[in-house]
Amino acid sequence: MGLNVTARLGIAGTVGAVLFALGAVLYVVFPDIIAGEIKEVKRGILSGNTLKNMKIVNGSLTYQAWEKAPIPIYMHFTFFNVTNSADYVANRSKPIVEEIGPYVFREYRQKVNISFSDEEDTVDYEQIKWFTFEPERSKGNLSDMLTTLNVPFTSLALKTEGKLTLMQQMMLPNIIKMYKAEPFITKTVEEFLYKGYQDQLMIFLAKQSKKEILPNGTFGFQYGQNYTADGVYTVFTGVKDPNKFMQIYKWNNVTSLYLTFEREAMVQGIKTYRFTPPFSVTASADLNEDNKCFCPVDKDCLLSGALAVSSCKKDAPIVLTGPHFYQADDRYADALIGLNRDKKLHETILDIEPVI
């Protein structure tokens, strides 16, 4: 199941394009972490009166808004449909992709298991999230058919490369043929998102190895994410030090990404402070040594504009990039046909109203 360099780059391009056409930009993936990290930048901008009101105290208006988001939150999923999968597999063309969507879901959040530590000036909590489809806000239906990378199959190929015994190498092609597994797969948008679909090859391999490969033998980009919590957060309440309000102390012991202040902006007539991720966030390790920890184990570090987040995703070979590989090394985008990198459409931004 070895892959040559050209195939790897094409797959890497397709993986990144698929995953971050999903709209899984920094705010969606790490919302509370970003809220905490920008605090260090905001402290030099916000007024003293604003900071005094920024604290989490049970019974206050701030607490009520913090515990359960009072305004609607929408998750937009956009996919790349691969229109020439057969030609690409036959090495006759680069993948040609067309963007479809967005498919919009209303996101609900409720903080639970809340526990305060007066001594540490922190609060621990979990956050339950659930999602409902919003057809009137969407461009398309959940029954739309989509052809994209067969993620379980590709993950298996990348993770087992060079690790199979001779006997396994001889048997695996026949097993793959028996279950008709291919590098690309066509399913409905609903199946690729929260509903998921059963992968018979993974179910077979799980039985043989007596290890779970996929939960319930089912894959979906958002499968298992509805009505679930994403771990335990520990944040500062801001009672003792308003400058630390909502700053993340820890989250499942995982480090956080960060944004920096760019400029003042206007959103629907409201003055905001705009924050964007600096180039250093996804710079290659040779340009930013802090990113060496994101290099895949036993593999070369990625080019600029891509971060390996396998450790956060049960060692699945998943890469974090901007939509359409915006601001990423050109070699990623050059591996695909159909991308259109546009700052107005694909830049990750977080606008914050400065007055509370």
Side-chain angles (χ1 to χ4, degrees), residues 66-342:
W66 169 82
E67 182 183 24
K68 188 174 184 179
I71 59 175
I73 303 170
Y74 297 99
M75 180 88 81
H76 291 236
F77 294 94
T78 306
F79 291 91
F80 280 135
N81 183 46
V82 181
T83 63
N84 68 331
S85 59
D87 285 341
Y88 172 67
V89 172
N91 202 27
R92 292 193 293 262
S93 171
K94 298 178 182 179
I96 299 175
V97 297
E98 61 176 0
E99 187 174 295
I100 63 172
Y103 301 90
V104 182
F105 286 75
R106 171 78 183 272
E107 177 182 332
Y108 298 86
R109 301 179 182 181
Q110 175 70 56
K111 292 180 175 62
V112 297
N113 300 326
I114 300 171
S115 176
F116 286 89
S117 172
D118 294 335
E119 182 179 353
E120 298 292 336
D121 192 26
T122 60
V123 56
D124 294 347
Y125 65 90
E126 293 180 276
Q127 185 165 244
I128 303 295
K129 297 180 182 180
W130 63 100
F131 306 85
T132 58
F133 183 57
E134 297 276 326
E136 68 282 357
R137 294 178 177 270
S138 302
K139 187 177 179 180
N141 301 308
L142 293 181
S143 59
D144 291 347
M145 302 304 295
L146 169 68
T147 298
T148 190
L149 197 69
N150 185 337
V151 175
F153 178 80
T154 306
S155 298
L156 177 68
L158 293 174
K159 292 181 69 174
T160 60
E161 184 178 14
K163 299 178 181 179
L164 298 179
T165 65
L166 179 60
M167 180 64 70
Q168 290 172 330
Q169 293 179 47
M170 295 173 62
M171 294 177 58
L172 195 53
N174 291 327
I175 296 173
I176 291 173
K177 185 177 180 179
M178 180 172 63
Y179 285 98
K180 299 179 181 180
E182 297 182 353
F184 290 86
I185 190 169
T186 301
K187 296 289 181 181
T188 66
V189 169
E190 183 178 28
E191 289 174 309
F192 275 120
L193 286 174
Y194 293 97
K195 182 179 180 180
Y197 63 90
Q198 286 201 317
D199 189 303
Q200 297 304 319
L201 174 60
M202 298 301 127
I203 292 175
F204 171 80
L205 294 176
K207 288 181 179 178
Q208 297 301 309
S209 64
K210 297 182 180 180
K211 295 180 181 179
E212 183 180 71
I213 298 176
L214 294 173
N216 301 317
T218 303
F219 174 79
F221 289 112
Q222 294 292 102
Y223 178 73
Q225 299 301 307
N226 222 349
Y227 293 96
T228 59
D230 54 359
V232 178
Y233 291 87
T234 301
V235 304
F236 288 101
T237 65
V239 173
K240 293 182 179 180
D241 184 356
N243 287 303
K244 289 186 175 182
F245 170 74
M246 279 299 295
Q247 182 177 329
I248 297 293
Y249 178 60
K250 60 182 177 179
W251 173 63
N252 288 351
N253 296 317
V254 175
T255 188
S256 59
L257 303 181
Y258 56 92
L259 304 182
T260 57
F261 176 75
E262 181 183 83
R263 61 182 175 86
E264 293 185 1
M266 295 290 291
V267 178
Q268 297 183 355
I270 300 174
K271 179 182 177 181
T272 65
Y273 293 139
R274 175 158 295 178
F275 294 82
T276 58
F279 174 76
S280 58
V281 169
T282 57
S284 58
D286 60 325
L287 299 177
N288 181 6
E289 291 189 358
D290 291 340
N291 287 342
K292 283 186 177 179
C293 60
F294 291 104
C295 294
V297 178
D298 299 328
K299 293 185 180 294
D300 294 334
C301 293
L302 301 176
L303 303 173
S304 290
L307 288 178
V309 292
S310 301
S311 61
C312 301
K313 297 296 180 181
K314 299 182 180 179
D315 292 326
I318 295 178
V319 174
L320 172 71
T321 78
H324 289 246
F325 292 110
Y326 175 71
Q327 291 187 321
D329 190 288
D330 289 341
R331 280 171 284 185
Y332 287 125
D334 289 343
L336 297 159
I337 298 174
L339 300 183
N340 179 30
R341 292 184 284 184
D342 188 323

Side-chain angles (χ1 to χ4, degrees), residues 20 23-31 129 230 233 251 313 320:
F20 279 84
V25 293
L26 300 181
Y27 176 66
V28 174
V29 179
F30 302 108
K129 297 180 182 180
D230 54 359
Y233 291 87
W251 173 63
K313 297 296 180 181
L320 172 71

